[in-house]
Amino acid sequence: MGVFDSGVGGLTVLHECLVTMGHEDFVYLGDHARLPYGPRPLAEIRRFALEIGGFLETQGVKLVLVACNAATSAALPQLQEELRVPVVGVIAPEAHAAVQATRNRRVGLMATQATVSARRYDELVHALDAGVDLVPVACPRLVPLIESDDPFAAETTDAVREYADPLKAAGVDTVVLGCTHYPLVRPILQRVFGRGVTLVFSAEETAREVAETLARKGIENDTSREGTYRFLTTGDPTAFRTMGARFLMLPITEVEHVSLDELRAAAA
Ligand code: DGL
């Protein structure tokens, strides 16, 4: 199946998929040439997502997993309308997990500007429990810091502290990590919030939803085989490989470059 994100963040979801569905084949695309998505207008992110979805379809995938909250926020319904294969996003599984986890019904949301502006979390959380108070905080500095040479630098902790302050002041007991990059610095987040706050992220829930979708549609691979996985980036393959192996915690042998023109041509 095809999995994409603006960068390495989606590897948190791919990791879970690879361990849950070791018999499936995956192609992962990181759109590094256009990272970060978060500060961009929703219409532009939607265009990128449709190009990538169309491209992945030409690679023969049987399902597309949007492993990016910004792209899910901006484009999930349009992707589902345009593509022939099923499309799964990361927001619904997280909203569901957050509503189940909170005891005081005060939930924080840390996400990119695009995800906060799109208000998909508000809609989904309130559809499940209209009494939950959702407190959103846009965290524009985090994706560039996580994609930098030193994601665990003091600067990341400083930024997390600043973004956590209003959520602590609001007394939330649950925080949705509404960006697939954030679990990559999970220890920093957990230390800043303390053990009393439940951090919700999408990887496990999303992998479960993908596995269920394949099973219900009867399109799973034979479970006795071992699946393959490959990587594509619109940016620098060497940088992606170094960064990716660290975060995926599984070997990455080769990363292929795909140009933006190839993406656009495939989607046209
Ligand atoms: N991992 C993407 C997300 O989940 C990051 C978006 C960005 O590139 O800003 O939102």
Side-chain angles (χ1 to χ4, degrees):
M1 67 197 83
V3 182
F4 75 92
D5 179 39
S6 57
V8 292
L11 296 178
T12 55
V13 187
L14 180 69
H15 175 95
E16 248 357 276
C17 288
L18 288 173
V19 295
T20 314
M21 292 165 275
H23 53 286
E24 296 293 345
D25 299 330
F26 293 87
V27 49
Y28 180 96
L29 189 144
D31 193 7
H32 283 94
R34 300 184 287 197
L35 175 127
Y37 280 4
R40 297 177 185 272
L42 293 170
E44 187 177 33
I45 302 173
R46 193 172 303 132
R47 179 163 61 74
F48 296 169
L50 287 167
E51 280 171 16
I52 297 170
F55 171 82
L56 289 171
E57 227 174 27
T58 66
Q59 302 288 299
V61 302
K62 61 182 173 184
L63 181 146
V64 168
L65 170 56
V66 188
C68 173
N69 291 263
T72 302
S73 294
L76 189 67
Q78 291 79 9
L79 283 165
Q80 289 170 333
E81 277 165 21
E82 295 288 321
L83 302 188
R84 288 180 298 277
V85 296
V87 184
V88 174
V90 280
I91 293 187
E94 270 192 315
H96 195 241
V99 169
Q100 284 180 338
T102 183
R103 295 165 303 278
N104 69 8
R105 296 164 98 201
R106 279 201 287 278
V107 174
L109 168 67
M110 294 178 75
T112 64
Q113 186 59 56
T115 298
V116 169
S117 308
R119 298 181 64 91
R120 295 270 299 175
Y121 275 105
D122 305 59
E123 281 164 33
L124 288 164
V125 162
H126 291 138
L128 294 165
D129 182 350
V132 167
D133 207 359
L134 186 77
V135 188
V137 176
C139 311
R141 277 152 65 204
L142 291 187
V143 168
L145 284 168
I146 293 167
E147 290 270 351
S148 74
D149 292 338
D150 190 7
F152 295 98
E155 228 184 317
T156 311
T157 308
D158 293 344
V160 167
R161 278 213 187 92
E162 182 190 315
Y163 296 136
D165 273 350
L167 300 181
K168 287 180 170 178
V172 303
D173 71 353
T174 302
V175 173
V176 174
L177 304 185
C179 171
T180 51
H181 278 75
Y182 301 168
L184 296 171
V185 293
R186 191 179 175 161
I188 297 180
L189 288 151
Q190 195 73 68
R191 186 160 185 270
V192 167
F193 281 106
R195 282 287 180 203
V197 170
T198 306
L199 299 181
V200 171
F201 62 106
S202 52
E204 270 172 54
E205 305 284 337
T206 305
R208 195 169 312 134
E209 189 169 324
V210 169
E212 270 173 28
T213 305
L214 296 179
R216 282 207 222 104
K217 295 190 187 293
I219 51 172
E220 324 102 294
N221 278 353
D222 175 0
T223 49
S224 62
R225 74 191 279 280
E226 186 172 335
T228 59
Y229 54 97
R230 54 190 275 255
F231 298 91
L232 304 168
T233 177
T234 54
D236 174 11
T238 314
F240 179 80
R241 186 161 172 257
T242 315
M243 186 89 169
R246 173 150 47 129
F247 287 135
L248 189 67
M249 292 178 278
L250 289 165
I252 293 185
T253 45
E254 208 191 319
V255 180
E256 297 155 59
H257 181 261
V258 55
S259 70
L260 296 176
D261 283 344
E262 282 172 86
L263 287 188
R264 289 184 196 119

